[in-house]
Structures are given as C-alpha cells and as structure tokens.
Amino acid sequence: MSGPIRQGHWHKSRRSILRIGAAMAGGAVLGPAAGAAEMENSPPGEPDWTKAIGAGVVDRPYGRPAEFEKDVIRRNVPWLTATPESSVSFTPLQSLDGIITPNGLFFERYHAGRADVDPHQHRLLIHGLVERPLVLTMDDIMRFPSVSRIHFIECPANGGMEWREAQLNSLQFTHGMLSCAEWTGVKLSTLLDEVGLKKEAKWVMVEGADAARMNRSLPLEKCLDDCLVVYGQNGEALRPEQGYPLRLLVPGWEGNVSVKWLRRIKIGDEPWFSREETSKYTELMPDGKARGFTWVNEAKSVITSPCPEKPVAAPGLYEVRGLAWSGHGKVKAVDVSFDGGVNWHSAQLQEPILSKALTRFTIPWRWDGQPALLESRVVDETGYVQPTIAELRKVRGKNPIYHNNSIQTWQIKPDGKVFDVQLG
Amino acid sequence: MLLLSGFAADAAGPGYFGYGKPATPAEIAGWNIDVHGQDGVGLPDGKGTIDHGADVFAQQCAACHGTFGEGEGRYPKLMGGESTLKGDRPEPSVGSYWPYVPTLFDYINRAMPLSAPHTLSADDVYAVVAYILNFNNIVPANFVADRDSLPKVKMPNRNNFTWKDPRPDTAAKECMKDCVDPKAVKIISSAEGKDLTPKTTGPLDTMGN
C-alpha cells in the first residue's frame, strides 16, 4: 500500500467520525440520515468502519462504553428526595447482562453527598472493647490476607415506592437500587482478631468518613461470619460513589449497613440505636408498632426482559430473562408465570449460582400476541418462597417503606408494550 | 512453608500481623463522637436551654425544617404526627416516632446542619435538642438538656419498637399448577398513565425540578 492512499483513508475516517459526532449531538442517531448510513453499512455494502483503520491504543487510556450506549446510565427520580446529596440513583438493570454490575452503573445512595477521600490520608480506627486499639493506613489494610467474593448490595428501600400501589413504569426505578460486584478486601474477622476482642464484646459500630459520619450497629456474630472490609470492586479500586478507598461489605443485609468511606470500627456491648436504625430503616406496621434491626434482604426476583423499558416487538419466540437473589444464601429455583400466577414453569438457572449474589434465570416463551401477565418467583436454599405484594400487605400493611421483596407483575398488552401492575 | 501456613491462619491472635500503629488516646478522642441512643453513654460535657436552642435553630435549622420544626418543602418535619402511626397516612417525626432522645443529640452532632455538619458546639447541640423536644411538647419550658437529663426523657413512641426480626412472616408455597382461580386474577393497580416515571432514555430527566 502506498502512502497517499493511506492518507486518503485517514481523511475519510475523520469525516466519518465528524458525521457520527454531529448526529449524536443532535440526538438523532436513528434518524433518517442514520437510516441511509445503515443501508450503506449493511450487506451488500462495505461498512465505513472497515474502510479505514481505527484509533490506536491508549486513544482512551481508561476505556468507556460505545457512544451508542449513552442512554445506559444511572438515573434518579427528582421528586423523591429534597436534595441530590441525600438521595439515590438507580442501576439500569434493563440494559445489563450477566450478574456483575459495571462499576460506572452501580447504584448510588448518599446521606450527605459523595465523599472524595484522599487514600493517603484516610485512616481506619479500630477501638472500644479491644486489647490493641489500632490506626491502619490503606497500605496496612492491603497487607492483610485478601479475599475476593461476589455479592449483591440492595438498598432495603428498593421497591419502596410500590408498597402503596404500582407507581413507576420502569424496571430501573422499581428494582434499580440493586447491584452486584466482585469485592476484594480483608475479612473483618481478621481485623478483629488482630486487635483482640475483649470478652464483653457483643456489638460493633461502623462509621463512614462522609459528611453524615453515617453509622450503624452490627451484632458481633455477623461481623465474625462473612463481613469484609473492601478496597476492590470488580478488579479495580472502589469507585468514590461506592466508598473509595474503603467500605464495609455485609453480605445479604440491607445496603445501608455496608458503610462506605469506612473510617471507624468501635466494639461495644450494646447496640447504638443510631438515627439510621431508629428513625430510618425501621418498618412501621399497621398496628402502629415498628420493626427494627430487620437486616436481611429476603429472597427476591424480577424479570428484566421483557420489562417496561424493553417491550415485546411482535408475536414469536422470546427468551424471558431475569435476576434472583437472597440475603439468606443461594437461589434454589425460579418459577415464571405468564398468566398472573395461575400456572408456573421452572426457569433455567444460569451458572454461577453463588450465595448472596445475583443469579440469572431464563425461560423460553412463545408470545401469541394476546395480553399476558408475567411474573417470576424465587425459592432460596432455606426453602423460603417469594411472596406476592398482597401476601406482604396482609401482614405489613402499606407503610413499611423498606423490605418490599414481593413478586413483580409485568402486564403485556397486545401491542407489546409492558406496564408495571399489581394484582389483587 | 511454615511462614506460609502461619499467614493463612485465621485465629492468629492479637498483634499477629503487627501492621498499623497503636491508636493514641488523642487520636481516639478526636473521632470518638458516638452516643448510645438508649442510655446516652458517650454524651459530652455541656448543656443547653430551650431559649438558646430557639436562637440556634432559627439560624442553623429553620431554613429546611421550619421555625417550629414544621418542615420546608420536602425537608423532614421534626414535629407533629401524633396518633397518625396506625392510620393510612402516617407522619413519623421526632415527636411521633423517634424512640430515644440521645440519638437526636448524636445525629445532630454528627450530621447537621446539612451544609456545615459537625460545626455546632456541644452546648448548641444540647440547646437545639431541648428546643426540638419542647416544640414537640415532650419537655417543659424550663428544661435544660445535658448528659444526665437527656437519657431520662421518655419519648412517647419508645415502647412501640420491636428489636427482634419476626421474619419470615409470610408462608408462600411453591405451587405450580392452578394456584389461583383465573377469574380472581385482577389488576388492582397500574403505573400506566401516572405521571411519576422519569424517562429512561436520553439525558437525565429533571421532570421540571
């Protein structure tokens, strides 16, 4: 190949990039112009991107998704909270595959905004009923024996807006306070062994370095069982949104206790009854009583395709896909109904099936174009069966806010559109 | 080999790794702000009156919480809602819901005011707590808040919490066939047509906010 031809390719390539850029800026990726380009770039035509070499390595030293995926982002519900600093954003579950949430799409929950912490100045203080109170740097923490484990984190308010009635026509907003990652860190039990627990030790307070100094109490047994103090998220350092440089990970329990920007662990003999475990994260029952220390996220599942964001195109064969998880351990089975819970069919579980992690399920479905009511129902390894919203309301009323793990119903209309509904 | 197996040991005992530095009393004191909600263990020296609390509250808190804790916009109400907790639209507030007073000191001290957290003196926090309790009609006008008086204040809703998880509280069965009468399958609620869902395509939807 001669130099001038290559030069020509470069020019064409740059023009193509400009053209795509202009279309993106106008928000008209699939407009008429793009339609013409699609014909040019589909068989029998040779696509533009085969006609010139692309950008070289380190063009993007830290990679990013394709421009065409720009709609796949965390989103919030503006009317839900007074400020974005004390609020939540939702993971776009409708656009994700597998069980791992990409770090840039992991849902956010802040009580006083995202703390941007300098890891060189960050310290973890462990004190209270211990033999050797310690101050640890990040370097110190990373020297301890490390483990990597895959676990979900779910805010217990996930689905909270649906207790009263079906409100949000979107998988992202009904279920998106849920994400799953591979976490790397040190077992909390290792750190507690290192400081030496006094025999009166029964409870552990964990506190963040955010502007809320958010704190929660945990029973010592859970801390010694499977809690991790983590610095790694899907192979890289935690994102600031998830507590960089250090967070607690309490597998299977309500997300709030997995305190981010972890700076202090204090050992005591009684719970603290902090604001986040009295005023918040407690469930008001119909008789006026409230439940506290309801930590476990009980088993839950949801169909992710189809869903309101992913309607059905036309009658034909589809793979129905979804996610199931349990704070008590592994998913044992998932059943799917196409008729609003009259009859159920066993779905296929996809490997890996891990304890307190998201698990994928699939089931083939031939849609005949008739109205349908799609539901999924998980059974976990304890034998617990996911309840309907009617069953939950019978016991807990409509005002608990937290721990709505009910079966989700998606209504399929004859035009293939999908709506969030509740059955009576 | 010996070193390796030693490293893997789980219950190696205090100081086995020897990483980090002993925490000094000064280091601990700087961060040791937590207060036990039930008995007030950890409450600091200091005290505050309702009058002083009203002044601090007006300057530091009222913009979001209202002059008497009635709340502004979507910011939380700090008062009211008594006898609503069994109703259809409960209004949990400090007065109607919170079980323990020292928790209020702890939270204000660690997280408030929202724009300048942990900047109030202990005296000011005590005073604000006294003022909040007073506009909830929980303490009289001459109440002085300090480490002895706060744990003794009994909140009206104190005995309505259970701290033991009663779940599982449902007993669904894994029925597979003819589980409900098809005629009984009725949609009682739909998100369709409600103007509550932000767009999930395009730029972030501010919904006019």
Side-chain angles (χ1 to χ4, degrees), chain A residues 192 239 308 414:
Chain A
L192 296 180
R239 290 292 173 93

Side-chain angles (χ1 to χ4, degrees), chain B residues 5-24:
Chain B
S5 57
F7 194 77
D10 260 351
Y16 175 80
F17 295 98
Y19 307 156
K21 289 192 178 142
T24 65

